[in-house]
Amino acid sequence: HDDIVVASPDQPALIEALEALTAALDAAGMQLGLDDGKSLLLVDDGADVSDALFAALGRRRDSVAKCAGIPISTTSPSARRRADELLTSTVHDCLRPLRALEHAHPQDTVKVLAVAGARCRTLYHAACTHDSPAWPALRREADQLTRSLLAHALGPQAEVTTEHQWLMALLPAREGGLGVHSCTLEGELDRRAARVLDARDVGSEDDLATAMAALVSTRARLHRHLATL
């Protein structure tokens, strides 16, 4: 694997690490890629970067997708906590636009929740960080938001959604439901989704087809179980 991730508590230490890395690569007949965004420094928006560090990384600065800097693997409890904090903040940012549905037409609310709801907005992050201990609470929070929006869409006669209404809403439209997705219920699909992403990265059509089939099969099994409740 030719990807390297370096974390540092401060910029001077990071410069020293880059100098040591560059020297080691040079001794091995290699070099650090700087063109086309091959070397990235992930910092908070608006953070000051020293000129020396900026120069060492090719003097290029761009905005990146939120969550891009969440460590997938961490080596210390403090790094794990920081990764979970970043993940939690990112998921909250993903869910925040849904609150605008409190002022939308009921039909529009249901349509948005079905095709671009909480599950859709957090699926990528869930697939990339499915082992994070932050997910159980985040899934519950996302589902609670979805249920409150559904209750609002149902009108004043339904201040909260009952369990039966909630289960019916989760069924696909072809089975008489609303097609809304539950983050908690579909949480077990995250590992399947992660395998799909891995297969895409590897470029294996056979592995991708197998991973996609497993994902679709598991989702169908969940819906069949719902229909029996």
Side-chain angles (χ1 to χ4, degrees):
H1 204 290
D2 60 355
D3 289 341
I4 301 174
V5 178
V6 180
S8 171
D10 54 60
Q11 295 185 32
L14 184 56
I15 292 175
E16 292 183 11
L18 286 174
E19 291 175 347
L21 174 60
T22 301
L25 290 173
D26 184 63
M30 298 183 290
Q31 63 182 6
L32 185 66
L34 295 175
D35 297 329
D36 298 325
K38 291 181 179 178
S39 294
L40 299 176
L41 173 65
L42 298 174
V43 297
D44 292 331
D45 293 341
D48 292 329
V49 178
S50 70
D51 187 68
L53 183 56
F54 197 36
L57 292 173
R59 293 189 177 279
R60 176 177 173 176
R61 184 163 189 163
D62 294 300
S63 296
V64 297
K66 296 297 184 181
C67 207
I70 292 178
I72 303 302
S73 299
T74 55
T75 57
S76 69
S78 61
R80 178 72 271 171
R81 286 193 297 272
R82 180 55 179 154
D84 291 339
E85 290 171 359
L86 287 170
L87 175 61
T88 299
S89 175
T90 299
V91 170
H92 285 167
D93 287 343
C94 291
L95 296 176
R96 189 170 295 113
L98 290 177
R99 298 189 181 279
L101 294 175
E102 295 174 351
H103 308 290
H105 188 281
Q107 290 184 349
D108 293 334
T109 297
V110 173
K111 288 180 181 178
V112 171
L113 291 178
V115 301
R119 173 66 178 172
C120 175
R121 291 171 179 271
T122 59
L123 177 57
Y124 174 76
H125 304 302
C128 291
T129 61
H130 56 83
D131 287 331
S132 171
W135 274 113
L138 289 173
R139 291 188 187 107
R140 290 192 297 270
E141 183 178 345
D143 281 353
Q144 184 56 46
L145 174 60
T146 300
R147 293 185 67 160
S148 68
L149 291 171
L150 279 175
H152 181 76
L154 290 174
Q157 71 275 16
E159 295 183 359
V160 295
T161 51
T162 65
E163 291 302 317
H164 182 262
Q165 289 170 328
W166 174 237
L167 293 177
M168 287 298 297
L170 299 182
L171 286 174
R174 64 179 179 275
E175 297 179 17
L178 298 179
V180 174
H181 299 278
S182 163
C183 292
T184 300
L185 182 66
E186 298 193 18
E188 67 176 84
L189 297 177
D190 292 340
R191 290 184 183 276
R192 301 285 187 185
R195 293 191 182 107
V196 172
L197 294 178
D198 290 340
R200 289 187 188 279
D201 289 341
V202 173
S204 170
E205 293 185 4
D206 290 341
D207 289 347
L208 179 58
T210 300
M212 286 294 294
L215 178 61
V216 171
S217 175
T218 303
R219 179 178 287 114
R221 178 174 56 80
L222 286 174
H223 289 156
R224 286 196 299 270
H225 176 66
L226 275 179
T228 64
L229 296 178

